[in-house]
Amino acid sequence: MVTYLVSVFIFGYILISLEEVIKINKTAVALYTGVVSWVVYVVNSGHVDDFADELTLQLGHISEILFFLMGAMTIIELIDIHHGFDVITNRIKTTNKRKLLWLIGGIAFFLSALLDNLTASIVMISLLRKLMDDKEDIKLFAGVLIIAANSGGAWSPIGDITTTMLWIGGQISAENIMRSLFIPSVISLLVPLIILSFTIKGDLHRVENEEEHPRKKERVRGSRQMLVGGLAALIFVPIFKSITHLPPYMGMLLGLSIVWILSELIHFNKDEQEKKPFSAVHALSKIDAPSVLFFLGILLAVGALEHANILYGLAIWMSSTIGNLDLIVFCMGILSSIVDNVPLVAATMGMYSLAEFPMDSQLWEFTAYCAGTGGSILIIGSAAGVAVMGMAKVSFGWYLKRISLLALSGYLAGAAYYLIVNSWL
């Protein structure tokens, strides 16, 4: 069964990476891979009667991510159709690619730590599409955005789901992880930015704003209110989680409901036809459904590997074969660019106890860094990457050629800094 499952998974990844060559949409391949993986697992598992419970459990975990993603996308679309982002983009005057590269990277880094890397990526890619209209420019900046969002999420207890797992599990404390991983995370972003600064040049072609289009001078009512309300709803999600201890998607859905009500109040006096283009119903029709389904397919495939204990077995094999804990964690970070980092971190938490490795041990800190930033090496290695992949139309192959080495260089530099500093302490 292991051979069959791994073969299906690898075959699906190859087809996704060759999307531009074979001309088959990656979402279709991801769904195929996800479903076939579970068919192979069920047929070969020997306990067919029990698979329904396992699949239901897996879909429960997946739905949390999908509802979170859909809620965030809808809030962003509501802000966008009210031209709320114009309030920000009209204040960014520079057209210099190098300056904008550092500006976007810095904003995404800190926004990811404040929100989380997935939400920050959705917000920032929406801003990018309002700033520029050249497809190559958008893809390049989107690649930097993925690195920045994942780097920013790694050092914050609410910035990345794996860091949050370790925080909730008692393996790390919030204050210590922010202090220990801030500089390594900054380095993992600085290195790609510095390299790109030597290669990128010239000015980008800005999307012309409303002031340059006489026919679009009419301002949409409530643009500022929707921007403030939408961003407040996104920032509220980690606060909601810390207070109620409910999953983040519940906070996101609550935020969506409030922003939805706000949009209805802004256009209260309009008839249904006038209100429709600014409604949440219209925003829902504009969200990137293929990206959501792509998430579903990939997470189903990874879930099959997890339930078949392949990922846990891989972690055990690495532990017995490699031996050195730092090298094991480093390899897991690389591996997280291929499979979901959540089951890998869960396997680490299961193999090593708090009795053996107390809170804030190097094992847990380095795991948070590697799992958070390693996913940037491939575009499908993180939730932020998959979201940007759909919204910015970035292919697996393009990212592999243009961004992967940059992300790897940042990952290596940050890891080296962390290990060197901790070897001196």
Side-chain angles (χ1 to χ4, degrees):
M1 177 178 68
V2 172
T3 303
Y4 293 145
L5 263 178
V6 172
S7 298
V8 170
F9 189 78
I10 293 175
F11 181 66
Y13 262 63
I14 291 173
L15 292 183
I16 290 170
S17 67
L18 296 175
E19 179 187 16
E20 293 181 322
V21 178
I22 63 177
K23 307 299 181 183
I24 298 177
N25 189 282
K26 62 182 179 296
T27 300
V29 176
L31 287 172
Y32 173 85
T33 304
V35 174
V36 171
S37 294
W38 273 91
V39 170
V40 171
Y41 169 58
V42 170
V43 170
N44 292 276
S45 65
H47 52 94
V48 178
D49 294 337
D50 300 329
F51 89 95
D53 292 334
E54 293 185 34
L55 184 56
T56 300
L57 180 64
Q58 183 64 32
L59 285 175
H61 293 314
I62 294 174
S63 66
E64 291 186 14
I65 300 175
L66 298 186
F67 282 125
F68 183 96
L69 182 64
M70 291 175 65
M73 283 182 167
T74 307
I75 290 174
I76 296 301
E77 287 295 343
L78 273 169
I79 296 173
D80 192 38
I81 60 181
H82 284 83
H83 296 187
F85 289 120
D86 290 351
V87 176
I88 298 174
T89 56
N90 288 343
R91 285 166 171 73
I92 300 176
K93 302 299 183 182
T94 184
T95 58
N96 184 277
K97 290 184 180 180
R98 190 176 289 118
K99 290 181 180 178
L100 195 58
L101 186 74
W102 284 84
L103 180 63
I104 294 297
I107 294 174
F109 180 85
F110 288 103
L111 190 62
S112 178
L114 178 64
L115 302 173
D116 64 76
N117 49 11
L118 176 57
T119 310
S121 298
I122 295 172
V123 172
M124 293 303 296
I125 199 63
S126 300
L127 283 176
L128 283 182
R129 293 189 300 184
K130 302 290 288 184
L131 282 170
M132 56 191 76
D133 55 9
D134 182 89
K135 292 182 179 179
E136 283 300 310
D137 284 340
I138 291 175
K139 288 195 289 187
L140 179 63
F141 279 78
V144 173
L145 168 59
I146 293 170
I147 297 174
N150 287 333
S151 296
W155 64 277
S156 167
I158 58 173
D160 183 272
I161 187 170
T162 51
T163 310
T164 303
M165 285 170 59
L166 292 166
W167 179 41
I168 293 174
Q171 281 79 12
I172 59 174
S173 61
E175 180 182 351
N176 183 76
I177 201 68
M178 294 172 72
R179 182 178 62 251
S180 300
L181 293 190
F182 178 73
I183 295 180
S185 298
V186 169
I187 291 173
S188 71
L189 172 61
L190 282 182
V191 171
L193 287 180
I194 291 171
I195 295 173
L196 272 177
S197 294
F198 286 106
T199 59
I200 194 172
K201 57 184 178 179
D203 295 335
L204 56 84
H205 183 265
R206 288 284 299 268
V207 174
E208 296 178 331
N209 59 34
E210 293 179 354
E211 295 174 1
E212 296 166 332
H213 278 285
R215 289 177 298 177
K216 296 184 179 180
K217 278 186 177 179
E218 182 183 355
R219 291 181 60 84
V220 176
R221 181 181 178 185
S223 59
R224 289 181 183 274
Q225 291 93 322
M226 287 303 297
L227 175 65
V228 173
L231 293 181
L234 297 175
I235 293 171
F236 172 71
V237 173
I239 300 173
F240 175 86
K241 182 182 184 301
S242 65
I243 295 174
T244 66
H245 302 290
L246 288 171
Y249 78 93
M250 292 292 285
M252 185 63 73
L253 292 179
L254 177 60
L256 172 60
S257 67
I258 294 171
V259 176
W260 191 327
I261 292 170
L262 176 62
S263 69
E264 295 285 337
L265 294 175
I266 289 173
H267 304 285
F268 182 76
N269 294 324
K270 295 181 178 179
D271 59 38
E272 288 300 319
Q273 198 63 28
E274 290 178 306
K275 193 191 313 184
K276 185 177 179 180
F278 306 105
S279 67
V281 174
H282 180 64
L284 279 165
S285 70
K286 293 185 65 179
I287 66 172
D288 189 10
S291 291
V292 176
L293 291 175
F294 181 78
F295 254 113
L296 175 61
I298 290 294
L299 294 177
L300 276 174
V302 173
L305 297 180
E306 183 183 2
H307 279 271
N309 290 322
I310 292 175
L311 297 182
Y312 188 78
L314 177 61
I316 294 291
W317 177 84
M318 290 172 64
S319 180
S320 60
T321 304
I322 298 175
N324 183 279
L325 282 178
D326 291 332
L327 186 55
I328 291 171
V329 173
F330 177 83
C331 291
M332 282 190 173
I334 300 290
L335 192 61
S336 73
S337 67
I338 302 172
V339 298
D340 188 29
N341 55 8
V342 172
L344 291 176
V345 172
T348 304
M349 294 168 68
M351 285 191 299
Y352 307 108
S353 67
L354 281 169
E356 186 180 4
F357 298 94
M359 177 185 285
D360 295 328
S361 295
Q362 181 172 317
L363 170 67
W364 307 122
E365 292 178 354
F366 197 43
T367 296
Y369 170 81
C370 292
T373 59
S376 302
I377 298 172
L378 295 178
I379 195 169
I380 53 179
S382 65
V386 175
V388 171
M389 187 182 194
M391 296 179 72
K393 311 302 179 187
V394 181
S395 69
F396 182 98
W398 185 94
Y399 189 92
L400 183 65
K401 289 186 290 186
R402 296 294 303 275
I403 305 296
S404 289
L405 284 178
L406 293 171
L408 178 60
S409 65
Y411 175 74
L412 292 174
Y417 174 87
Y418 177 83
L419 293 175
I420 290 171
V421 168
N422 280 272
S423 67
W424 292 343
L425 297 177

